[in-house]
Amino acid sequence: GANGFSVNRTEGVGTGPVTITVASNPYETERTATFTFRAWREGSQAQKDTLLQVRQLGKQVTLAAGLQTVTAQAIGGSYQIPVLCNAAWNAILSSDVWVHLTTDKGEGDGNVVFTCDPNTSTTSRTTTVTIMAGSRNQFMAEVTITQQPGAAPTVLQTIVSDVTKYEATVAFSYQSSTSTVTEYGVCYATHETPTIND
């Protein structure tokens, strides 16, 4: 016998069946086994060999991603992409540095797990995860990750008090869910909608 091939009996007298059992092929390449059936007559030196070659096709790899696109929140976080595969697989990212793969390989069905940094920009950003399987990574599935834009900080409440001829007190609060506020202050002028240029 050979690896993955077996027979139910190796000797006998007269005619009768021999069962060859073939296990599932875990490899993508085909494999073969050759069996020799030898017959001879009692008391005779004459013998006859018959060869039987059994060929088994290679494993057919299947690969699919459970999602075509992932929309990530601007605040960042952890996400999963289901992988449907009957072989070993691995995942790679395009060169973007704001996404980090925490689970990038597996065997059989599983998940690619990744985390996103918070998006402090007010524009969305996109990257691609490529999942590959097969002995030469010839089976591929691509998933697009789009992260929502970060929101600009919001001024929640402004209170002006103690207004006199020469001064006033201004109090305000703000919130920012996706970015760190590095500067804040009050713009004032003698006209409406002052800016930092006033």
Side-chain angles (χ1 to χ4, degrees):
N3 188 25
F5 298 85
S6 61
V7 293
N8 67 330
R9 64 181 189 163
T10 59
E11 59 184 49
V13 176
T15 61
V18 174
T19 302
I20 297 173
T21 304
V22 183
S24 175
N25 188 352
Y27 308 105
E28 294 172 54
T29 55
E30 107 177 2
R31 60 185 181 180
T32 60
T34 302
F35 296 89
T36 303
F37 294 86
R38 177 167 291 158
W40 67 90
R41 192 171 296 180
E42 196 71 36
S44 169
Q45 297 297 322
Q47 66 180 31
K48 182 177 180 183
D49 289 348
T50 302
L51 299 180
L52 173 67
Q53 189 174 63
V54 179
R55 188 181 107 203
Q56 184 182 28
L57 295 177
K59 175 181 182 177
Q60 296 297 309
V61 174
T62 59
L63 171 67
L67 298 170
Q68 301 295 313
T69 60
V70 175
T71 302
Q73 295 181 356
I75 59 173
S78 182
Y79 301 87
Q80 292 185 357
I81 301 169
V83 177
L84 309 170
C85 188
N86 66 347
W89 54 267
N90 64 299
I92 59 169
L93 280 166
S94 55
S95 59
D96 298 290
V97 296
W98 53 273
V99 177
H100 313 280
L101 292 174
T102 53
T103 303
D104 63 351
K105 63 181 73 168
E107 180 142 1
D109 295 346
N111 292 295
V112 172
V113 181
F114 65 93
T115 57
C116 293
D117 295 336
N119 188 358
T120 57
S121 164
T122 55
T123 59
S124 63
R125 53 190 180 182
T126 301
T127 191
T128 302
V129 174
T130 304
I131 305 164
M132 299 172 289
S135 59
R136 297 179 306 278
N137 287 331
Q138 69 269 39
F139 302 95
M140 294 186 194
E142 289 191 342
V143 180
T144 301
I145 300 170
T146 301
Q147 189 175 30
Q148 297 173 331
T154 304
V155 176
L156 300 175
Q157 185 178 20
T158 304
I159 300 171
V160 180
S161 61
D162 302 327
V163 178
T164 69
K165 183 176 180 179
Y166 299 105
E167 62 185 10
T169 300
V170 180
F172 65 94
S173 60
Y174 62 84
Q175 75 175 14
S176 177
S177 60
T178 60
S179 59
T180 302
V181 174
T182 56
E183 292 183 274
Y184 59 90
V186 176
C187 300
Y188 61 94
T190 56
H191 56 81
E192 290 185 2
T193 62
T195 68
I196 58 173
N197 297 319
D198 291 303

